[in-house]
Amino acid sequence: MKKLICMALALCICAMSAVPVLADTAESDAVAAVILAVKNKLNIDDETFVFDNYNKDEHGNTLRYYLNWVPREKDNYGAYRSIHVNALADGTIRTYSYNTEIDTTRRLPKSTKEQATEAATAFLTQVDEGIADEVEFLNVSGPQTYSHTYQVSFVRMANGLPVVSNGVDISLDADTLEVYEYHANWTEGLTFPSPDGAITPDAANQAYRDNLGYELRYEFVQRDEKQTPILVYGKKYPEVAYIDAMTGEATLLPRQVYGASGGGNYKLENAVAADATMGLGAVLSEEEQALVDEVAQMLSQKKAEELARAVPEFKLDDLVVDGYRVYKNEDVYTVRISFIAKEKEPYAYKSVTIDAKSGEILSFSGSVERSVEMDKQASLTRADGLKIAEAFVDKYYSEKKSQTSPANTLNTEGTSYEWQRMVNGIRTQGNGLGVTVDEKTGDIVRFSNQWYAGEFPDPSDAAKIEDVYAKVLAEDNYYLAYVLQAQYDEAVPYRYGNETYQAYAVYTAQEQPRYDGVTANELDYNGNPVAEKADAYTDTDGHYVVPYAEALKELGIGYPGEILRPDTATYQDEYMRLISQAVYGREFSATDQDNMYSYLVGRKVISKDEISPDKFVTRMDAIRYLLKAMGMSDAAEIPGIYQNIFADVDEQNAGYAAIAGGLKLVDTSADTFRPHEGITRAETLVILHRYLAR
């Protein structure tokens, strides 16, 4: 077949040489070939879909086609489906998406994770057999909360090692296993060095401790609407770094170094004199009067301007005031005064924030348009920039600087510097001094002064760092792999697509989370303990709840820990966390109780007056809360329209009981409901399983 195609193309070329060339058929032939290759791999049906559009994108050595198909006829009720494909010039598919309306109702899947993995593997083999031969199954997750899909991931392998950031992700309907998304992140032209001679895992673990590692520090988290310091074990260096598998040294991926830029521009609105009669009859409350008294002690615009201009390093002489604002940051009132150039060109904007009471400068940022001559100047070295930055903080903040230590960094480029506050011999993240120096002019373009005034927790009860390393350096988390580094030809102007990549063997951690400094438990983004996922319960052998509990566990729904105690009663806060998981797909830890209740009150699942975390939930309350979360409370509370199917349910709750029976959330074979009995943990899981399986 290929020979016939080549002969046909040759004949076409010969025929074209005898007539005037009116069009470039080479491109049309290429597009036709790509479209056919894609249709064959994806089995796109012409009777169902019609080709809609294409885009061509050429960057450097990479040529891509973006192809779209839409339904030949609109679906019933105007439902819309479409197919989008990103393919290389040889027909290799890099991404595929099938956009259609998906039923996102939270429910149990009709297909298993094993079936999803088999379907994803078959699809990958169909679309790109070459890639399929070079990957290994990585994991399957889901169903996802808002899409009811499984996500199956494959990782690229070379010389028996995984290639970080290269692989395939496939999204499938959790019921039908229809593929909705396919994404191949694949770097061509790689040569993988042999891992022979790599240091041993034990040596890599020690190298990680010595050259990267974790440290105990203070971090600030939001507690009771205030920033509060807590003890945390976190990565010592902020950069994405690895251990070179051959040398054991720490190594960085290349990163873009961005120049400093100015902050927001706050303009003063035209002042309007207050009408003397506006407050007639009103008096200041105690709190309002306290604020008025506090305002009287704050900096005026004139004084703020004087303080800002008194720092010659800010270079404000040729600028005029553009804005003045007072606002409250935590418990501190802050003045922000901004400056702009007198003329529109050259552009300049600078901003200074000052403690409204003490007059201490808290931050500075500046953005000035450089001249062509300035941009031609050689850039400052990091060492020279450091001298300028240190001279500034030594001049104005020597006492504070004496209580700091330079921030950990592996980066040897750029001219931004940070000194972190030391408290009890421990580094404090988010507290200290920071300076950025313009690498061309040597000017200070950014400064920050953050200094917490409250007490810090005692570190004497801190967990041992060995407890942290036991998790970070676990065999399934810390492993030998390849990472890719972009290579650029300095003699060629940079264009996207011109870069090449080099593979390096490294030891890397799959996850490097933060841990509570006292308990060594993993923390989430907000500094709260990560909620324990439902796991296999060890005390349910032979119990009727087992199949229900296991099915919910697959969705990440259940009681934390390995002990269920299935026949004990359920507390209100436990039940609310389970509803949040099952109905809303939201995870709240035991220490995040306030946020959970606030979330559920806002959705009218429970009223403020009903909040009682340590109260046992009755069987009727359990149904009421669940139906409210489902948005059925208005219908359930319509009086006089429901048949009371249970003899022991009062008229007020008849609607809830009837709807629960109709949805098969509860068993209706008996004529009693036992509404005032506490609902057991096993019964709770059964009801939630029935809700998700309905």
Side-chain angles (χ1 to χ4, degrees):
M1 178 60 72
K2 289 182 179 178
K3 289 182 179 179
L4 290 174
I5 293 173
C6 290
M7 290 174 64
L9 288 174
L11 289 172
C12 289
I13 292 170
C14 291
M16 287 174 57
S17 64
V19 297
V21 178
L22 300 178
D24 180 7
T25 59
E27 173 61 15
S28 62
D29 289 341
V31 173
V34 172
I35 290 174
L36 289 173
V38 168
K39 288 180 65 178
N40 286 331
K41 292 175 181 177
L42 297 175
N43 298 322
I44 297 176
D45 180 9
D46 286 336
E47 293 185 4
T48 306
F49 290 96
V50 59
F51 187 75
D52 178 55
N53 192 16
Y54 100 103
N55 289 308
K56 176 183 176 182
D57 186 9
E58 187 172 0
H59 281 292
N61 300 319
T62 304
L63 174 61
R64 294 177 184 268
Y65 290 94
Y66 297 87
L67 312 173
N68 300 320
W69 285 263
V70 296
R72 190 169 291 278
E73 296 180 3
K74 277 192 175 181
D75 295 350
N76 292 335
Y77 309 108
Y80 190 79
R81 297 177 293 162
S82 59
I83 293 173
H84 305 276
V85 177
N86 167 0
L88 303 182
D90 63 358
T92 299
I93 295 174
R94 281 292 180 252
T95 64
Y96 158 76
S97 64
Y98 174 47
N99 297 332
T100 186
E101 293 183 6
I102 302 173
D103 182 1
T104 58
T105 305
R106 190 94 159 117
R107 60 192 188 278
L108 292 172
K110 295 180 180 177
S111 299
T112 65
K113 289 184 176 180
E114 291 75 16
Q115 291 171 327
T117 302
E118 292 175 3
T121 303
F123 184 84
L124 172 57
T125 303
Q126 171 187 321
V127 170
D128 198 323
E129 191 171 359
I131 284 184
D133 290 338
E134 293 188 48
V135 299
E136 284 187 5
F137 168 73
L138 182 61
N139 58 50
V140 56
S141 61
Q144 303 301 311
T145 302
Y146 299 110
S147 63
H148 196 63
T149 57
Y150 284 117
Q151 306 292 327
V152 183
S153 297
F154 302 85
V155 63
R156 184 178 187 176
M157 302 294 293
N159 297 327
L161 302 180
V163 181
V164 176
S165 77
N166 264 210
V168 176
D169 295 300
I170 300 176
S171 172
L172 311 91
D173 187 288
D175 292 336
T176 66
L177 298 181
E178 185 173 19
V179 173
Y180 290 142
E181 298 281 348
Y182 166 87
H183 179 76
N185 189 15
W186 206 262
T187 306
E188 301 290 352
L190 290 175
T191 300
F192 294 96
S194 171
D196 295 343
I199 61 176
T200 65
D202 287 343
N205 287 0
Q206 189 60 48
Y208 181 88
R209 295 167 184 248
D210 294 342
N211 300 330
L212 293 177
Y214 272 63
E215 66 175 0
L216 182 65
R217 62 176 178 242
Y218 290 109
E219 288 189 14
F220 288 87
V221 296
Q222 197 78 8
R223 295 286 187 271
D224 299 325
E225 300 183 355
K226 292 184 179 181
Q227 289 291 304
T228 304
I230 63 171
L231 283 167
V232 171
Y233 274 108
K235 290 194 310 175
K236 187 180 297 183
Y237 300 102
E239 297 94 345
V240 176
Y242 307 91
I243 294 298
D244 188 298
M246 301 301 164
T247 66
E249 297 177 355
T251 181
L252 287 171
L253 283 180
R255 68 185 184 91
Q256 180 72 34
V257 180
Y258 296 95
S261 61
N265 186 2
Y266 298 97
K267 288 185 176 294
L268 284 175
E269 301 295 337
N270 292 329
V272 178
D275 188 331
T277 64
M278 286 178 60
L280 193 61
V283 295
L284 292 175
S285 68
E286 182 180 343
E287 294 78 11
E288 291 164 346
Q289 184 61 55
L291 170 63
V292 170
D293 295 340
E294 199 168 11
V295 169
Q297 304 174 38
M298 294 181 190
L299 296 175
S300 65
Q301 177 177 330
K302 180 180 179 181
K303 183 61 177 177
E305 181 180 355
E306 290 176 358
L307 290 171
R309 292 190 185 278
V311 183
E313 290 84 355
F314 293 166
K315 295 190 174 181
L316 302 174
D317 291 346
D318 296 330
L319 306 182
V320 295
V321 173
D322 178 55
Y324 168 80
R325 179 187 177 214
V326 179
Y327 59 96
K328 195 170 187 178
N329 184 12
E330 295 294 329
D331 292 328
V332 178
Y333 277 97
T334 302
V335 166
R336 180 188 295 274
I337 186 166
S338 55
F339 301 81
I340 59 173
K342 296 177 181 177
E343 305 295 335
K344 290 185 178 179
E345 295 181 359
Y347 169 82
Y349 173 82
K350 297 184 180 182
S351 173
V352 181
T353 63
I354 308 171
D355 186 305
K357 287 187 178 180
S358 70
E360 184 177 36
I361 292 178
L362 303 177
S363 72
F364 165 76
S365 63
S367 179
V368 178
E369 184 179 332
R370 292 200 198 112
S371 67
V372 175
E373 290 73 22
M374 287 181 182
D375 279 331
K376 290 180 180 178
Q377 295 176 12
S379 297
L380 288 175
T381 65
R382 184 164 177 81
D384 288 339
L386 177 59
K387 292 177 182 178
I388 296 172
E390 282 191 318
F392 179 82
V393 294
D394 286 339
K395 178 179 179 180
Y396 296 104
Y397 299 91
S398 58
E399 182 179 351
K400 284 187 174 180
K401 184 171 178 287
S402 68
Q403 302 173 51
T404 68
S405 180
N408 289 324
T409 180
L410 294 169
N411 181 42
T412 58
E413 300 176 353
T415 49
S416 291
Y417 312 90
E418 182 183 359
W419 291 266
Q420 292 178 326
R421 183 180 181 183
M422 301 295 291
V423 179
N424 299 322
I426 296 172
R427 191 179 300 276
T428 301
Q429 185 165 293
N431 243 219
L433 306 169
V435 177
T436 297
V437 179
D438 188 293
E439 60 182 10
K440 298 292 184 181
T441 65
D443 293 339
I444 303 293
V445 292
R446 181 171 293 165
F447 165 71
S448 63
N449 165 26
Q450 295 177 289
W451 212 264
Y452 178 68
E455 297 292 324
F456 286 80
D458 186 350
S460 59
D461 294 330
K464 296 179 180 179
I465 197 168
E466 292 302 320
D467 296 336
V468 174
Y469 283 137
K471 300 176 182 181
V472 177
L473 300 178
E475 187 175 351
D476 60 347
N477 188 57
Y478 194 65
Y479 55 90
L480 184 61
Y482 288 110
V483 293
L484 308 182
Q485 182 177 8
Q487 308 286 325
Y488 303 95
D489 186 348
E490 295 182 0
V492 178
Y494 173 73
R495 282 183 63 201
Y496 173 73
N498 280 342
E499 67 272 13
T500 59
Y501 289 85
Q502 177 67 46
Y504 294 91
V506 301
Y507 278 93
T508 182
Q510 180 174 330
E511 295 181 355
Q512 299 181 78
R514 295 143 61 237
Y515 297 92
D516 186 287
V518 177
T519 66
N521 292 329
E522 184 178 343
L523 298 177
D524 63 17
Y525 178 80
N526 295 315
N528 295 312
V530 172
E532 295 182 61
K533 298 294 182 183
D535 206 344
Y537 301 115
T538 59
D539 60 343
T540 56
D541 287 349
H543 199 283
Y544 73 85
V545 79
V546 169
Y548 305 99
E550 289 182 349
L552 291 174
K553 179 187 66 176
E554 287 295 313
L555 296 177
I557 298 170
Y559 294 85
E562 298 180 350
I563 305 299
L564 176 61
R565 301 190 301 279
D567 297 317
T568 59
T570 294
Y571 290 103
Q572 187 188 90
D573 72 324
E574 295 173 332
Y575 191 72
M576 292 301 163
R577 277 201 299 277
L578 291 170
I579 281 185
S580 299
Q581 292 172 350
V583 180
Y584 301 112
R586 293 290 300 265
E587 195 77 55
F588 293 100
S589 67
T591 60
D592 203 17
Q593 192 181 87
D594 290 343
N595 284 336
M596 177 190 70
Y597 274 112
S598 177
Y599 180 82
L600 296 176
V601 167
R603 278 148 187 78
K604 299 183 179 180
V605 175
I606 187 172
S607 68
K608 290 183 179 180
D609 294 339
E610 292 178 291
I611 294 176
S612 183
D614 298 328
K615 176 183 176 182
F616 288 127
V617 176
T618 67
R619 290 165 57 84
M620 181 52 69
D621 282 342
I623 290 298
R624 281 197 311 105
Y625 292 140
L626 179 56
L627 290 180
K628 284 185 175 184
M630 294 169 65
M632 294 186 175
S633 60
D634 288 345
E637 293 175 4
I638 298 175
I641 66 171
Y642 293 101
Q643 179 181 359
N644 201 334
I645 58 176
F646 297 107
D648 54 354
V649 172
D650 58 28
E651 186 64 28
Q652 183 180 357
N653 291 303
Y656 284 104
I659 292 175
L663 294 176
K664 297 183 171 34
L665 299 178
V666 296
D667 184 9
T668 58
S669 60
D671 63 354
T672 56
F673 185 79
R674 310 191 313 280
H676 303 298
E677 288 185 15
I679 188 170
T680 67
R681 288 179 154 212
E683 290 171 336
T684 295
L685 295 182
V686 171
I687 286 178
L688 294 179
H689 182 279
R690 288 174 173 172
Y691 158 71
L692 292 168
R694 70 195 188 284

